Amino acid sequence: MLDRSFIREKVVHCGTDFLAPEIYPYSGQQQLAVGRKRGKKQNVSAPKQKNLNDRRAKRYFIQLANSNFGLGDLVVHLTYTQAFLPKDEDEAKKNVAKYLRRVSYLRKEKDLPALKYMVVTQIGRKKNGTHRIHHHVLMNGGLDRDVVEALWWKEKGTKTRAPVLYGWANADRLKPGKNGIANMAGYMVQDSAGKKHWTQSQNLEKPWYHAPNDHKYTRRQLDKIAKLPEESEAFRKFWERQYRGWELVECERSFNEQTGWYFYLTMRRVS
């Protein structure tokens, strides 16, 4: 019966160390509309609009970040002085694109692997109508932090003159926690005034999944587990029994009166 709803499980793999199971109600009509390729490995589809005010886009961003960046990689924060503040988002994107080309060129000179990056550009809005554009960049490691910061120039330095920087630049080594770099990625996409968009290099490893499982969970089962506090041992053990060899580090859940419970988990491989 195509109108019958059921519980779908989609297990998203984020690199080798993290799983992001998604458990949610699904209908036969939806299944017919999208079709399925059983057993085939599929990449998670990136949101068509990479606007980080959207919850699904935020979730994908964090999955993508955890799939590609970790210990020894860098997060770089780039700002502008008032004198060099871009007039709009297009100009800001051109500035950060030039910066990334410099980083990429230097990596090639030093025989390092190709640059991988994710860039969040934020256009903040203040009450007086002014705006303040800045960037957050995740990139693979290998270059010294001071060198990476010094490439954020408006005018290149010479033997007799220091470079003129667009503004303040700060590079930090990533320090993954229990949930990888989800905390840093979450900071980059957290809600704030204004708009946020991201761009990425084409050489990133995408989160992936096999065909979803429509028979593992029941609505009654999810109703029961949803009554448990998230910090309780029973809640944690339930999910860790479902995914042997993985430990629960985070759970986002929500309830819809028409369809039921939605669970979005983050699991880390047990070392």
Side-chain angles (χ1 to χ4, degrees), residues 9 11 38 77 93 109 123 139 148 169 176 204 245 257:
E9 177 209 41
V11 181
R38 294 186 178 274
H77 309 286
K93 286 181 177 179
E109 273 198 333
I123 305 93
M139 65 173 69
V148 170
L204 297 185
E257 289 188 1

Side-chain angles (χ1 to χ4, degrees), residues 3-41:
D3 60 345
R4 187 179 68 86
S5 65
F6 48 89
I7 303 300
R8 168 159 288 187
E9 177 209 41
K10 183 168 76 173
V11 181
V12 177
H13 295 252
C14 306
T16 58
D17 294 326
F18 291 91
L19 289 183
E22 301 178 0
I23 299 100
Y24 50 90
Y26 208 75
S27 71
Q29 290 289 354
Q30 287 176 301
Q31 185 182 48
L32 183 65
V34 301
R36 286 177 60 182
K37 295 182 179 180
R38 294 186 178 274
K40 186 176 181 180
K41 177 179 173 180

Side-chain angles (χ1 to χ4, degrees), residues 64 87 92 95 100 120 127 133 154 170 181 198 231 254:
L64 189 64
K87 65 179 184 295
N95 293 339
L100 292 170
V120 173
K127 291 182 180 179
I133 297 179
K154 168 72 172 176
N170 182 62
I181 65 164
W198 96 80
E231 64 276 10
S254 61

